[in-house]
Amino acid sequence: KAIVENIGGMFDAENGGFGSAPKFPHPSAIDLLLDVHLETRQDWPLNIVTTTLEHMGRGGVYDQIGGGFHRYSVDERWIVPHFEKMSYDNAGLLGNYLRAFQLTGKPFFREIALGILGFLENALSHPDAGFYASQDADINLDDDGDYFTWTLEELNAALDKQEARVAALYYHVEAQGEMHHNPAKNVLFIDQPLSAIAERLKLDEAKVAELLARAQHKLAEVRARRQTPFIDKSIYTSWNGMLISALLEAYRVLGIKGERDRALSTLDLLMAKAFDREKGMFHTLVDGEPRIDGLLEDQVFILAALLDAY
């Protein structure tokens, strides 16, 4: 009770999340609040969850083009992230968004969950089985999220005039961006609803949605040609355990059989390569071989994954 009251007391009602800048995602706190809501049927824990997940999903801390969440936001509004992406953050947040979708039926939560799954598949998946640890924030020391950010000039070059206008309004792309190292660089975040853009441009909302979808596709293609931040290809047992459970939840909630199959093949890999009947789980797989005796978290998250898979 004291923990739940403490979490509630730290809630930022204006921006979502807990405390002030820098602001981190806290998937375990959100899970606890969802449990409290289900147990007590009080509305306030669910309101904290939905407010937080909505603000995070609209913010720059979520990769609006490639899916998945960055590690934390340097501001309290979730706009400017530290651009590193961790597998464990995305595992926990995937579970949060799936459960929030189940409880509320809001399509936005499903959309963000699918975005996380897309990022995991495209950036952190080993070709056979297992998930890599993380994606770096930067290319080099002179870089600060340039792979993920856009100048207005870059946006206009990638899109036709109508697409660029809609994307600039939706993602708040202006001549002056948010990045200190290059003030022309913009972090993409959802600034206003499609209905407001439609009214402003005197267009049908369905047409605005179509233009935005085309713009997103083109921006993803252009970004894919940029130098990609380094991927740490270590396969950590505990983080893979978290991902297995999250993917099985995605199968249960959304019915995506590919996520179930990916989860089970990853679990098969870990039980074949990283499990010792005397020692339990090893901590990591490097080039397919177990390294470092397992930590407590390795045993716990794989135990949870085994139960979920069973």
Side-chain angles (χ1 to χ4, degrees):
K1 185 172 179 292
I3 291 169
V4 171
E5 288 174 355
N6 182 259
I7 292 170
M10 294 178 69
F11 174 56
D12 178 350
E14 183 178 354
N15 302 299
F18 308 99
S20 58
K23 196 171 267 182
F24 287 78
H26 289 286
S28 297
I30 290 172
D31 271 347
L32 179 59
L33 290 170
L34 288 172
D35 284 345
V36 171
H37 166 70
L38 288 168
E39 187 174 316
T40 67
R41 294 298 167 178
Q42 292 177 295
D43 288 334
W44 69 265
L46 183 61
N47 289 337
I48 290 177
V49 169
T50 57
T51 300
T52 297
L53 295 182
E54 283 169 3
H55 278 82
M56 287 180 62
R58 291 199 298 266
V61 74
Y62 176 74
D63 183 349
Q64 299 292 337
I65 298 300
F69 281 89
H70 301 292
R71 196 170 187 190
Y72 63 88
S73 173
V74 301
D75 63 288
E76 68 279 357
R77 294 172 55 221
W78 303 106
I79 301 299
V80 181
H82 171 58
F83 290 94
E84 187 178 17
K85 289 180 176 180
M86 310 302 297
S87 60
Y88 62 83
D89 284 330
N90 282 282
L93 288 164
L94 175 56
N96 291 162
Y97 278 92
L98 289 166
R99 289 168 199 138
F101 171 64
Q102 280 188 289
L103 280 167
T104 67
K106 288 186 177 180
F108 180 70
F109 294 147
R110 179 180 182 273
E111 181 184 323
I112 299 296
L114 290 172
I116 296 172
L117 289 168
F119 160 68
L120 293 171
E121 182 65 33
N122 295 328
L124 295 190
S125 290
H126 186 281
D128 299 322
F131 291 92
Y132 303 138
S134 62
Q135 182 179 40
D136 276 3
D138 311 309
I139 305 299
N140 54 48
L141 294 175
D142 299 319
D143 174 28
D144 188 7
D146 286 355
Y147 174 79
F148 301 101
T149 54
W150 298 80
T151 65
L152 184 56
E153 185 179 359
E154 288 170 338
L155 188 85
N156 288 332
L159 307 174
D160 71 30
K161 193 171 181 180
Q162 262 196 319
E163 294 163 353
R165 185 68 177 135
V166 167
L169 288 170
Y170 189 69
Y171 290 127
H172 196 271
V173 179
E174 299 181 342
Q176 179 81 17
E178 294 81 21
M179 301 305 297
H180 292 303
H181 80 296
N182 181 355
K185 279 283 194 175
N186 290 261
V187 179
L188 303 190
F189 63 92
I190 300 174
D191 185 52
Q192 54 189 299
L194 293 180
S195 57
I197 298 171
E199 187 175 337
R200 183 169 178 173
L201 299 182
K202 303 294 186 285
L203 292 171
D204 183 74
E205 189 174 334
K207 178 62 175 177
V208 173
E210 179 194 329
L211 288 166
L212 180 63
R214 283 185 358 216
Q216 290 168 331
H217 180 72
K218 288 183 181 179
L219 291 174
E221 287 186 330
V222 171
R223 199 177 83 170
R225 294 196 288 270
R226 296 175 177 176
Q227 185 179 351
T228 307
F230 174 77
I231 303 286
D232 177 354
K233 293 189 175 181
S234 303
I235 294 178
Y236 290 108
T237 300
S238 57
W239 300 356
N240 272 261
M242 295 172 74
L243 285 162
I244 291 163
S245 292
L247 264 59
L248 291 170
E249 184 88 342
Y251 167 63
R252 193 170 67 82
V253 175
L254 304 178
I256 306 173
K257 291 183 179 178
E259 303 304 341
R260 175 199 64 186
D261 296 344
R262 182 83 196 177
L264 295 178
S265 65
T266 297
L267 189 54
D268 287 343
L269 170 75
L270 291 168
M271 297 313 296
K273 297 280 191 177
F275 174 63
D276 181 283
R277 287 195 173 275
E278 301 299 321
K279 293 184 174 183
M281 302 305 300
F282 281 85
H283 181 55
T284 185
L285 288 177
V286 179
D287 296 327
E289 295 301 320
R291 299 280 188 273
I292 309 173
D293 287 352
L295 306 176
L296 178 60
E297 66 179 36
D298 297 309
Q299 321 307 325
V300 169
F301 285 116
I302 290 297
L303 177 56
L306 287 163
L307 290 169
D308 290 337
Y310 176 73

